Amino acid sequence: MIDRRTELGHWIGRLETILISRGVLREDGELAIQVGSRFPKDVEDALDGFIENPIELMGLLKICRHARDGRPLSPAVLMAAHLMTREVLQAFEDSEAAGDFSA
């Protein structure tokens, strides 16, 4: 059986690293861009259809951090965060493979 919490713990680190390198997050894990603003073009293109704005991104990151830290989450929320995070990471990997940006 998949340990979704453990996977999310690994994935959140990878996702945060990607977002820091793209100028979306600061080193402390907070947004480096204004909450009401848009993502940089390469990030927006990669996330198209998954995450529409920085507020949604921060919500996903918060849930993933809660999972990593062992805080209580319902099975449905844990499963949804697991699926969404996997898809977002895949979108970044696909964009990198297509040459849209490099990690």
Side-chain angles (χ1 to χ4, degrees):
M1 180 171 193
I2 297 172
D3 183 349
R4 288 185 174 85
R5 283 185 184 273
T6 300
E7 279 192 329
L8 278 175
H10 294 295
W11 292 349
I12 186 67
R14 286 177 50 202
L15 183 55
E16 287 173 330
T17 299
I18 291 168
L19 294 170
I20 289 168
S21 73
R22 299 289 151 238
V24 175
L25 288 183
R26 298 187 313 240
E27 290 289 331
D28 65 2
E30 295 300 318
L31 280 175
I33 57 178
Q34 296 293 328
V35 171
S37 66
R38 299 181 64 83
F39 292 120
K41 180 72 170 129
D42 60 344
V43 173
E44 185 175 319
D45 289 346
L47 295 179
D48 187 36
F50 294 108
I51 303 284
E52 297 299 323
N53 59 60
I55 294 171
E56 289 180 13
L57 175 66
M58 291 309 292
L60 177 62
L61 292 175
K62 181 178 179 180
I63 292 167
C64 290
R65 290 170 182 155
H66 284 336
R68 176 194 61 202
D69 297 342
R71 294 185 182 152
L73 294 171
S74 74
V77 168
L78 185 61
M79 185 177 287
H82 185 267
L83 175 64
M84 186 61 139
T85 304
R86 183 178 64 212
E87 294 296 324
V88 166
L89 284 171
Q90 186 64 53
F92 277 121
E93 289 172 7
D94 291 348
S95 290
E96 182 181 332
D100 294 341
F101 56 75
S102 59

